[in-house]
Each structure stands twice: as C-alpha cells, then as structure tokens.
Amino acid sequence: MNSEPAASADPGLFDKVVNLCKRRGFVYPSAEIYGGFRSTYDYGPLGVLLLRNVKDAWWRSMVQLRHDVVGLDAAILSPPAVWEASGHLKNFTDPLVDCRNCRERFRLDKLDDPHTCPNCGKHDTFTEARQFNLMFKTYAGPVEGKGAEVYLRPETAQGMFINFKNVLETSRKRPPFGIAQVGKSFRNEITPGNFVFRTREFEQMEMEYFVPPDEAEKWYQYWCQERLDWYRSLGMPDDRLRLRPHDADELSHYSSGTSDVEFLFPWGWDELEGIANRGDYDLTAHAKASGERLEYFDQAANERYVPHVIEPAAGATRTAMAFLMAAYDEEEVEREGTGKGESRVVLRFHPRIAPYKVAVLPLSKKVELQAPAREVLSLVQPHWMADYDETQAIGRRYRRQDELGTPLCVTVDFDTLDDRAVTVRDRDSMAQERVPIDGLVDYLRPRLDGE
Amino acid sequence: MNSEPAASADPGLFDKVVNLCKRRGFVYPSAEIYGGFRSTYDYGPLGVLLLRNVKDAWWRSMVQLRHDVVGLDAAILSPPAVWEASGHLKNFTDPLVDCRNCRERFRLDKLDDPHTCPNCGKHDTFTEARQFNLMFKTYAGPVEGKGAEVYLRPETAQGMFINFKNVLETSRKRPPFGIAQVGKSFRNEITPGNFVFRTREFEQMEMEYFVPPDEAEKWYQYWCQERLDWYRSLGMPDDRLRLRPHDADELSHYSSGTSDVEFLFPWGWDELEGIANRGDYDLTAHAKASGERLEYFDQAANERYVPHVIEPAAGATRTAMAFLMAAYDEEEVEREGTGKGESRVVLRFHPRIAPYKVAVLPLSKKVELQAPAREVLSLVQPHWMADYDETQAIGRRYRRQDELGTPLCVTVDFDTLDDRAVTVRDRDSMAQERVPIDGLVDYLRPRLDGE
C-alpha cells in the first residue's frame, strides 16, 4: 500500500503514532485516571477493532482456510508441573542486580557498564546477580503457600503441547497437522517499553505444527515462507519486512533452525514473529514429566514416532502496531470541495485490517437526511463494521476517517432524496463515485472483501 | 430448534454433555496429562469454535449492528487504585471458617449446618469467619511487596468505567451510548463447580450503557428485552429461558433494578447474564477516587450530568455451554443408505453457533474423489468454517457430524465426476439434495447466514 521507499528507520514516526493512537481512540494508557499503570495499555474503540482484525486474519489464514490445522483455547492459569516440564521454572529468567548504594534494581544484561550504577553513578556497588523468573505467580484456593501456586502462562505454546494427545484422539488429524491458538500471555518484564511492543500483558498468535521427523526441515522452510507471505498479503510493504535466520549462537539448544519475521520499527528492525524448528523437545519433555506417551502411531508404516514441531509464534499486539505504523502516511491534498490545499494524515490499511470498513456520513445534520443515512447504515452493517458520523463539515469528517484508515466513505446528500444514490469516496485516491443505494453492497463487496 | 417441551431440569443431561465434550473435542480438563488442574478447562478444536461463535454473535449484535455502542479491550492486570474505588478490595469477599479439629477450610455461607464440620463431623470447631477476597493478586516488577501488587480483574466492567472519559473524548458518542468488551476475568472461587459453569478463569461479555438519568428506567427495560431476544434469536428454546427480576433483598445497594437471564441447566435454573440498572454509582465512585470529572456536558441543554449506567453482563463460557445443552438431542433414525434403525445424538445448533457450518465428505478414500472434494472444500472455506473428513463409512461420518452439530454435510461421490454435483445433507431432517458445485455457495448462503 505504502509505496514510498522506507529503507531506514524513522524515529519521528514513533511519537506521531503514539499521539494518533491516543487522540483517535486506538490505545489508551491503562488506568489513566489513576495516573496510569506502567507499560500497560487498553485498546480503545478503534484499537479493539484493529486488534480483532489482525487476530481474525491470522485465524482465517491459519485455521479456517486450511484443513490441517485445528484451534484451541487453553487456560491462562496453569499449575507448576507444566512449567517445570517445559523448563520455564528453571530457565525463564533474567539476571538482576541491586545497587548497594541507591537500592535500585537492574537487569545485568541490559547495563551499558556492568560496574557503574546508571542511577546513582557509583562504581562497583552491585550485588551478585540473581536469576529472576519472569512468570507471574499467584495462588488458587483459600490458602496461600506451597501447593497452591499457579502461574499465568508466559506463552500459549505449552497449552498445545499438553493437549497434543487429546487433540490427536478427538480431531482425526494426523501429522502433518497443527494446533493454533490466540490468547493473552503474561511476562513480568523488568524493562517493558516501546509503547505496546514489549508489555507485561500481551496477546499471542501461536501454532504448533506436528510433522514426521524426516519432514521437519521441509515444513520449517514452508512455514517461514507462508508466514512472510501473510504479512505481505495484508499490505505490509516489502522494504519494511524481512526474514532473519538466527545465527548459530542465538539458537536454543533444542532448535535446529529459527527465523524471525522482522519489521522496521521507528527504533530499527525488531521481531514480529519467530518460526522455530523445535524438534521433539517439547513433546519429549512433557512425555517424560507426565508419564504419558505423546507419540503418533502411523498404521500404514506400522511405526510409532514422536512428531517434530515447527512453531510460527507471532505477537498480536505488536503486529497490530506494525500494521498501523506501516499504514501511517502524511501528504498534501486538496480539501474536498474547497480547492484549498491542506495536509492530511492517512492510515493506508489493507481493507481486511482497517478498523472501520465504511463510514456513513449524512452531508449535514438536516432531519431529512437522517432516514436515508440510517437506511444506508443498516444495509452496510450486516456485512462490515461501519462508522456513522453526522458532526462537523464533511471535509473535516473525511480527514477524520483518513486518520482512522477507513477505506471508503459513503455520503448521503440532498440529491440522494431524488436519485436514491450516494457518493462513495476512496481513502487513498480521494476519488468519488456515485452509486445507487440498491447496488451499494455489491459495489462495496469486491473493494472490501477481495483478497 | 429443540421443539420438545422441557419444563423441568434433566439431571441425566449433565453427564451426557460432559462426556460428549471430552469425546468430541469441545472441552478438556486443563493440564490433564498432569492429573488435571481443578476446575480449569481448555477448549478443544470444537469448543474454541463454539466459544468464538458465541462471542462473535454477541459482538455482532452489540457492536457491529448498532451505531451507539463502541468496543474496548482493557488490560487484565490492574492496579489496586481501581479496585479500591470500585469497592472490590473491601467487599468482593466470601466468609471463610477453618475447622480447628481437621484444619479444613469452608465457605460459611455454603455450610448446611454452621456448627458441624462436614469433613470430620465435629461440633463447634470452627474459627471466627474471616473475609476472603476473591481477587487473584500478583506482583509486577522485580520486587514483591507493598506497592507492587496488581490484581487480575474479577470483571471486565471496571475497564469501561475508567475509560469513560477517554472514549467520550475520542469516539464522538454521547449518551445514550455504550462501551462493550469481551474478555477473560478471574475469581478465586472457593467452590467452583458444575463443569464450566463456575470456574476461576472465565470469559465475560459485558456492556456499559451510559444514559441521561431520567431515561435509566426506560433503557433498563429495553436492555432486558433486547438481551432475552438475543438468546432466542440464536435458537435458545423459550421453555428453557426466562428473565427473573431480582427481589428487593437481592439488589445491590446502588441498583434500582436487576434481572437475570436464566437458563434451565441440568441442575435447575441458573444465571447466564445479569442486566442491572447501576445508577451513577460507578462513575461517581471513580470520579471521587481519581479526582477526574466523569460527566457529560449536554451542549443543547447547557447541562452537565453524571450518566446512569445500564449493564448487560453475560458469561461467555457458560452461555456457550447453555447453547450446547439446549442443542443436545437424541433420537431414533434410519442410518443413511442401510434401511437399518439406530439412535443418534445430534446437536441442533443454530447455524451461527455451530462450530463447523459445513463438512465436506468424499464418499470414499479413492484417489479420484480427492481432487473434486478438495475443490469443494476450497470453494466453501473462504465463507464458512468447514470440516473435511475422509475416514470411515459415510453413515458413521454423518453420525459424527451430527454430534458436532454441523448443519450441512456435502458429499462428493463418483457421480460428481460426471455431473459436477454434490449431495447436500441436512442435519435435522436428514434430507438429501443434489446441488451443482458451481451453485453450491449460493445454495448454502441463505441456509447458513440467514438470520
């Protein structure tokens, strides 16, 4: 959509987007009336639609349009046994140090100078590093203490592994097949930041694809390509998207290959999604810890094996933000009907991602326009998420819809009363076309639902 | 859909439904390979689709098809200030007692005999009752302790109240208008139970509708009717659904009216949703605690007021289960093509609620049927969630789809190779009809998408 070259990061974009997110109701700081709650965010009327569209587009592509992937929705609260087997209780940690002088606490691996406190400036005041687990812990039942601990999942993936056997037995799928899940995860990040990019509460879109061991490499390559194509198909420009294979020293000990889908954020290239060849690590670990056989018996080959796993794991919230940043554009235009120049901000969202697909705008607040405007609205609403706005001059309302990224505006004017037609205005070209009300849905369908 | 009279609860239904849920992949006990995790459940491939359909139908009705309601997605983790203002820190409690003899812990208000321990049988061994808060507490940041506490929200509603001002300023809505949200909430229930009906982790569908004070009663009546109609429109039978106004002694001190939408569960009538006239209690409480003005200024009347709130608050997970229980049916039928009688279990879901809308079934595994069957599948998938199954005899596959509640099966047979037509079989009537592949989507559309 955004056709300008953008090969380098644009630091100025960050503030513009954060500002627009608040002003237009995409993202609010959480509990803002109480001074906010550090690095937690609420998604407003526009943001919740954007986020839903991203998640729905993922689900559609990963579950609905395939016959080899089924969905799952596992619990967020989970017992220690799961995280002991997965290794999270032991290894999902950051190294923390305290300054003995000012008592501030830091992540050792994030310090520019591991000898000097960035808060008070003293040298060699740090305690020994201790490992801090990033999982949120709470207690279920009436007694706090040993045996009642539960953890908020730090990733959705384990839900798929521990349900592998259940899904295999009830779904009639066999390798290669996948289990997909969209849902919230929680990590007690010591240094959250970059707006919604790294937050303690976030939403994931993960899929575990179980394959015969000798097909793992093939499917790893397949999913790298497939996932990259998904972002492109929704309008992510090529020059702000890349697939970066991990170097050998970045790989987990169990992974024989991992690649990140990266987006060029205002602060540089950063991760949207990781695609990992996890081998049989997860199923074997849970089989060992639980005593269950987490295997597949191939009747044709009379062979039993532990499937290998290819995992495309994306962040929904950061992906939504990447789509918004990629869509952001400013340009000089002529204000409709005035001949005057002005600058506009426009979010050039792909129609599938755009929060509102259509805005219905009566030209004025005059009472005779209300009935036809409401009629048009109720024709459109069963098919698409629509906004309705009768305030302000029409030019200002177009500007507002541009900032929301609404692909098409439908204006009901006084001619409508005679000709039963409306003006459809295109967000990107700003071209206007007269369309009969009775043919409106058919006119909109290919423009909004076309792949 | 389910036309038999069912004026009394059916206790036998409970086990049948729980069994079907596990067998067909609707609901699994959480962390089952580790012995399960008490009263927590995971939604399997069928359950996640059912739950999505219920939530999407709610969202469609409450947000998409209206122009006076906007959405929100607020954080689950929230600071103590929110729950202090809302009263949850002080009042969201159950009274607990310990038996001094056997050390078991009980909810005082649930004891049949408040003097005798139901565990060890001793008399008058209970401690004084203490108030146990139902909110899950954890700590954000690297230090556990005072100032770092956060709570998992016990309801989504407060997210709408604390964002009232943000939404008012960015959305161009004015009273009467609503804010709607779907999301997880968490309550540390001492006595969860009845399968997914009462769980520590659950999903809510809540809407806060802000109205001029003198219109509160009118809108309360409106929403009671509107919400009852919603369940009916999705096939909930009249004789298992009722609206029950609270008695005066059930009402919260701030509520001037509350009604529950109740469903006839196997254990009797129980709540799906509460519709409450909450007055100005919530906005006033948060305004007082935060110092922000949570009011609306009506320019036309030159008048400032605190809107009153009508709240329809439904449980998504329990509503999904109610739809499943209402849909459950058993009957004697003739197995297709055999002339033999057999009994079948059929879930008579409304098409909008049914997990799969269509199943594509090649008559046999013969290789020549695969291409046309896949072609039919890929025609259907862009429009509807479809299953594909090529295992077992066709009669057994129909029985399986009946148990999943799939409204229509599309069978590809050897005649298809000649006539490019398929057999469409109706779940409820079991009638079959021959339909050309090229007209299939148009044939299915009114049967699956019709309101």
Side-chain angles (χ1 to χ4, degrees), chain A residues 28 34 42-43 64 73 75-77 105 137-138 141-142 150 163 170 172 188 201 286 381 389 391-392, chain B residues 28 34 37 42-43 64 73 75-76 105 137-138 141-142 150 163 170 172 188 201 286 381 389 391-392:
Chain A
Y28 310 127
Y34 293 106
D42 294 347
Y43 291 81
Q64 185 177 331
D73 186 2
I76 289 171
L77 296 177
R105 189 163 282 184
K137 182 169 73 175
T138 185
V150 294
N163 279 299
T170 58
R172 302 203 171 182
N188 194 1
E201 173 176 345
H286 283 296
Q381 277 179 329
D389 187 2
T391 60
Q392 298 188 316
Chain B
Y28 310 126
Y34 292 106
F37 179 48
D42 294 346
Y43 292 81
Q64 185 176 331
D73 186 3
I76 289 171
R105 187 163 284 184
K137 182 169 73 175
T138 185
V150 295
N163 279 299
T170 58
R172 303 204 170 179
N188 195 1
E201 173 176 345
H286 283 295
Q381 277 179 328
D389 186 1
T391 60
Q392 297 187 317

Side-chain angles (χ1 to χ4, degrees), chain A residues 322-396:
Chain A
F323 276 117
L324 199 156
M325 287 175 171
Y328 187 95
D329 196 13
E330 296 172 3
E331 63 176 0
E332 296 299 314
V333 296
E334 185 198 314
R335 177 176 287 195
E336 281 86 348
T338 65
K340 289 184 195 156
E342 66 176 354
S343 67
R344 70 165 182 166
V345 169
V346 54
L347 298 183
R348 300 189 191 277
F349 283 126
H350 186 282
R352 197 175 280 287
I353 297 295
Y356 292 119
K357 314 302 183 195
V358 180
V360 176
L361 311 173
L363 187 66
S364 84
K365 277 184 162 176
K366 290 267 166 57
V367 66
E368 57 265 48
L369 294 185
Q370 282 184 8
R374 292 294 169 87
E375 182 198 346
V376 167
L377 181 66
S378 60
L379 279 175
V380 168
Q381 277 179 329
H383 306 282
W384 301 285
M385 193 69 215
D387 195 12
Y388 182 86
D389 187 2
E390 58 183 20
T391 60
Q392 298 188 316
I394 189 71
R396 294 193 62 162

Side-chain angles (χ1 to χ4, degrees), chain A residues 144-315:
Chain A
E144 283 200 6
K146 201 72 187 167
E149 305 98 331
V150 294
Y151 293 90
L152 306 195
R153 65 180 176 203
E155 58 174 38
T156 62
Q158 300 303 321
M160 276 86 97
F161 298 133
I162 64 176
N163 279 299
F164 168 78
K165 196 172 168 229
N166 273 332
V167 172
L168 195 65
E169 284 172 358
T170 58
S171 75
R172 302 203 171 182
K173 301 296 178 196
R174 56 187 188 199
F177 83 100
I179 309 178
Q181 182 169 207
V182 175
K184 290 242 172 128
S185 293
F186 298 83
R187 296 179 186 178
N188 194 1
E189 299 279 358
I190 304 309
T191 50
N194 279 339
F195 197 36
V196 301
F197 183 80
R198 177 166 282 112
T199 50
R200 297 203 172 100
E201 173 176 345
F202 59 105
E203 203 150 16
Q204 293 188 294
M205 309 183 289
E206 294 195 298
M207 198 269 281
E208 310 300 327
Y209 199 71
F210 302 93
V211 304
D214 59 358
E215 296 180 13
E217 178 58 23
K218 179 184 83 175
W219 286 110
Y220 169 64
Q221 297 298 339
Y222 168 87
W223 280 111
C224 283
Q225 191 57 49
E226 190 74 9
R227 293 302 306 146
L228 196 60
D229 288 347
W230 181 77
Y231 294 92
R232 288 180 179 142
S233 74
L234 294 169
M236 201 71 96
D238 272 346
D239 60 355
R240 299 185 68 175
L241 195 68
R242 73 179 187 190
L243 189 73
R244 189 184 66 79
H246 281 205
D247 295 333
D249 63 354
E250 285 179 277
L251 289 175
S252 313
H253 64 275
Y254 50 78
S255 176
S256 59
T258 299
S259 293
D260 286 349
V261 176
E262 295 188 332
F263 175 73
L264 187 59
F265 282 97
W267 56 88
W269 291 99
D270 218 334
E271 181 189 352
L272 294 179
E273 170 161 358
I275 299 111
N277 181 345
R278 301 179 61 92
D280 64 1
Y281 176 80
D282 307 282
L283 290 182
T284 301
H286 283 296
K288 195 176 159 200
S290 68
E292 292 280 350
R293 294 183 102 163
L294 303 182
E295 303 169 334
Y296 174 70
F297 179 65
D298 182 344
Q299 285 190 304
N302 192 28
E303 182 186 48
R304 186 178 291 279
Y305 63 86
V306 179
H308 283 210
V309 168
I310 312 301
E311 175 191 86

Side-chain angles (χ1 to χ4, degrees), chain B residues 13-85:
Chain B
L13 178 62
F14 187 79
D15 286 346
K16 289 175 183 172
V17 164
V18 172
N19 186 296
L20 183 143
C21 280
K22 175 72 198 296
R23 188 172 74 247
R24 291 307 190 189
F26 282 90
V27 181
Y28 310 126
S30 229
E32 194 178 20
I33 62 171
Y34 292 106
F37 179 48
R38 200 162 44 113
S39 294
T40 305
Y41 295 92
D42 294 346
Y43 292 81
L46 272 288
V48 65
L49 296 177
L50 172 63
L51 196 51
R52 283 176 71 92
N53 291 345
V54 169
K55 292 185 288 182
D56 284 352
W58 186 89
W59 184 267
R60 179 180 165 83
S61 142
M62 298 296 266
V63 181
Q64 185 176 331
L65 294 178
R66 305 184 66 97
H67 66 276
D68 57 348
V69 178
V70 296
L72 186 80
D73 186 3
I76 289 171
L77 296 177
S78 38
V82 172
W83 309 108
E84 202 172 309

